[in-house]
Amino acid sequence: MSETASKALRAPAAEPDTGRWKALVFIALAQLMVVLDATIVNIALPSAQQDLGISDGNRQWVVTAYALAFGGLLLFGGRIADLWGRKKAFVVGLGGFAAASALGGAATNEAMMFGARALQGVFGALLAPAALSLLAVMFTDAKERAKAFGIYGAIAGGGGAVGLILGGFLTEYLDWRWTFFVNIPFAIVAAAGAYFVIREPEGGRNRSPLDIPGVILSTLGLVALVYGFTRAESNGWSDSVTVGMFVASAVLLLSFVLVESKVKAPLLPLRVITERNRGGIYLSLGLAIIAMFGLFLFLTYYLQIVKGYSPVKTGFAFLPMIAGMITGSTQIGTRLMTRVAPRLLMGPGFLVAALGMLLLTQLEIGSSYAALLLPAMLLLGLGMGTAFMPAMSLATQGVEPRDAGVASAMVNTSQQVGGAIGTALLNTIAASATTAYVADHIAGATSRSQQQLVQLEAMVQGYTSAIWFAVGILVVAAAIALTFVNAGRPGGTTVASSDGEDAVDEVQIPVVAH
């Protein structure tokens, strides 16, 4: 056992914060708001586009403006949380997100809408890492941590589907503007609760001077990467600007890594990502999100266009997936996390999700919801919930308190970049398969109804082709989790650390108040 680990074990334990479970309610509420926002606006987009006179060419910027600001500024947001203190960053993030949401709901033209979405992304990038790192520093007991991260994991995984239901309901029965205004009460309640209830453990701030070159390089590099994938979806992979974005991103992010290895107080200490377990989690989570984002998109289109579901009915059709995620995260993951190694939950979890995805490769125009979609969604939810829960916990476990914000930001960054890749990559695969199917079959369709049938069959063919790729991606995520993640179960298992010394599983080591 290393000397550091021995000292940590001998150190007196700080008294757990008595308000930590109340704090969890407000942290979970804020997380739900951020995750909801990723999908709730998509449902409202056609109505907002019509009202504000946004052109088809510019429509994507309602989604892209948010994704670029959020994805590009996450590492900076995590570092600010470490510098200011997570509670302050959390409350400021909520206030800013509420103000940006009010601006979006009151938008009178496309410029105002794009600006509001970008501002939501900016404050979301401050809020999301602060929320996760607050959990990391407030819940240090293994069993309590399992329960807290079970709830958080269920919201992180299932919140997007809840957004589809809420977005459909608000758009259909009220007005698209309410998909923005609904964030305001969420944010006010979460901010007020956090202000009065959260007591952040002392001694966890990182007061080192801000790494300005690191901030600039990481922000520009991540923005270029996310924009490259977003543009590839609409303009193709061979588009000169798309290729230029990918090249610029590679140069900027490599320069960022080089700078971080040299500066005294790096924005992202390389020790955070080079640790074997965390590296494996960031990679496997990112891959799993690639598969999941594409699936949300395809199933939404399939249910609305092919099956003719209304937005509200489409949202409710996703309920089994939410139920599966909640069960997998709060029941299976939470109960087993203190008994088995995390990789034995993550690997099988991703494989169960892959099995659900495999069922969806059998989609046809006339597929039965009860016979095919329902079991597939349940398996997907159960698998993802079971895998997400230990991943979220382990990603911030054993991190020095001063690095908790930036380690949490890396979880969000892997998810955000994964989402951008998933949407672009799987959409491109689906579009290519659809085009090929139409070219092969349209000649035999003589009547208008036959041509419409071929178009629908082509659409479903495109979805199933892309879903096959998603199955493969989930299998790779499972293999990475089983291979890289070698942490023992919380409760005394010793595992080999990256530097060859013995490292005690740090979920046992309390955060010591200075």
Side-chain angles (χ1 to χ4, degrees):
M1 186 185 296
S2 70
E3 187 182 345
T4 307
S6 301
K7 284 179 182 175
L9 283 172
R10 290 195 301 269
E15 282 297 313
D17 181 2
T18 52
R20 61 195 179 283
W21 290 109
K22 289 178 188 173
L24 175 62
V25 173
F26 301 113
I27 293 169
L29 189 63
Q31 174 64 14
L32 179 62
M33 182 186 72
V34 173
V35 177
L36 280 177
D37 202 71
T39 51
I40 197 171
V41 174
N42 290 357
I43 297 281
L45 188 52
S47 306
Q49 182 185 356
Q50 192 175 353
D51 272 10
L52 300 178
I54 301 172
S55 68
D56 284 345
N58 285 341
R59 178 180 58 189
Q60 64 160 335
W61 283 101
V62 176
V63 176
T64 306
Y66 178 83
L68 292 182
F70 187 69
L73 292 169
L74 270 166
L75 281 176
F76 183 42
R79 178 67 180 83
I80 289 293
D82 287 335
L83 182 67
W84 285 358
R86 283 122 215 153
K87 176 177 172 176
K88 184 177 179 181
F90 184 74
V91 173
V92 170
L94 281 166
F97 201 90
S101 298
L103 190 67
T108 53
N109 54 50
E110 63 178 35
M112 196 169 165
M113 170 60 78
F114 299 157
R117 288 293 282 159
L119 270 177
Q120 278 187 315
V122 169
F123 286 104
L126 181 62
L127 176 60
L132 184 54
S133 56
L134 274 171
L135 281 193
V137 297
M138 290 179 79
F139 290 90
T140 53
D141 173 76
K143 287 186 178 178
E144 286 194 350
R145 188 181 177 95
K147 287 177 187 173
F149 276 90
I151 294 163
Y152 186 88
I155 289 169
V162 176
L164 294 174
I165 298 172
L166 193 56
F169 180 84
L170 292 171
T171 305
E172 207 165 309
Y173 297 113
L174 292 172
D175 183 73
W176 66 264
R177 295 182 185 278
W178 281 98
T179 60
F180 286 90
F181 291 145
V182 75
N183 288 328
I184 298 169
F186 272 107
I188 290 170
V189 171
Y195 184 79
F196 290 110
V197 171
I198 291 176
R199 284 195 305 113
E200 187 181 345
E202 293 177 21
R205 289 197 192 179
N206 185 344
R207 299 182 189 277
S208 307
L210 205 55
D211 169 23
I212 300 298
V215 170
I216 294 168
L217 288 170
S218 68
T219 302
L220 292 178
L222 287 169
V223 164
L225 183 63
V226 173
Y227 184 59
F229 280 110
T230 305
R231 190 177 171 88
E233 184 190 349
S234 54
N235 294 65
W237 295 90
S238 57
D239 172 69
S240 58
V241 177
T242 303
V243 173
M245 282 293 152
F246 286 136
V247 171
S249 172
V251 171
L252 287 163
L253 291 177
L254 283 171
S255 304
F256 171 66
V257 171
L258 190 65
V259 166
E260 297 310 273
S261 66
K262 305 287 186 190
V263 296
K264 189 176 179 182
L267 172 71
L268 174 63
L270 296 183
R271 62 179 176 268
V272 171
I273 52 172
T274 53
E275 198 275 319
R276 176 175 176 161
N277 290 290
R278 274 191 291 279
I281 281 166
Y282 296 147
L283 197 53
S284 60
L285 263 186
L287 286 169
I289 294 292
I290 289 174
M292 284 297 286
F293 256 68
L295 179 80
F296 271 136
L297 202 65
F298 298 145
L299 279 186
T300 303
Y301 285 146
Y302 174 79
L303 291 169
Q304 289 194 29
I305 297 171
V306 179
K307 304 295 275 186
Y309 284 21
S310 69
V312 171
K313 191 176 178 183
T314 300
F316 277 104
F318 279 97
L319 274 178
M321 190 186 291
I322 301 173
M325 281 183 173
I326 291 170
T327 305
S329 190
T330 62
Q331 298 304 310
I332 301 171
T334 300
R335 290 174 189 276
L336 294 180
M337 189 180 146
T338 54
R339 300 177 186 178
V340 300
R343 68 178 180 276
L344 299 181
L345 289 173
M346 290 176 64
F350 288 138
L351 290 175
V352 168
L355 184 60
M357 201 79 83
L358 190 63
L359 286 180
L360 291 173
T361 60
Q362 307 307 306
L363 269 184
E364 294 174 356
I365 288 178
S367 291
S368 159
Y369 177 83
L372 181 68
L373 289 165
L374 179 64
M377 285 193 185
L378 280 171
L379 285 170
L380 270 162
L382 275 172
M384 284 297 192
T386 302
F388 270 40
M389 187 261 150
M392 292 284 186
S393 176
L394 193 59
T396 53
Q397 181 181 306
V399 178
E400 295 178 36
R402 65 198 172 110
D403 295 334
V406 89
S408 303
M410 275 302 299
V411 176
N412 288 285
T413 302
S414 67
Q415 290 177 302
Q416 187 65 23
V417 172
I421 296 171
T423 305
L425 180 66
L426 297 180
N427 250 354
T428 306
I429 294 164
S432 302
T434 298
T435 305
Y437 188 92
V438 169
D440 290 344
H441 295 83
I442 201 71
T446 52
S447 67
R448 183 170 175 79
S449 61
Q450 285 178 324
Q451 288 173 351
Q452 286 177 334
L453 184 64
V454 167
Q455 292 284 356
L456 287 177
E457 285 173 343
M459 199 179 290
V460 175
Q461 179 67 30
Y463 299 159
T464 54
S465 299
I467 288 169
W468 272 111
F469 276 85
V471 172
I473 290 168
L474 280 173
V475 171
V476 173
I480 288 170
L482 289 166
T483 307
F484 280 76
V485 180
N486 67 345
R489 66 179 178 82
T493 306
T494 304
V495 293
S497 70
S498 53
D499 63 1
E501 295 181 333
D502 287 343
V504 176
D505 188 323
E506 299 213 23
V507 95
Q508 292 178 287
I509 301 172
V511 177
V512 181
H514 294 289

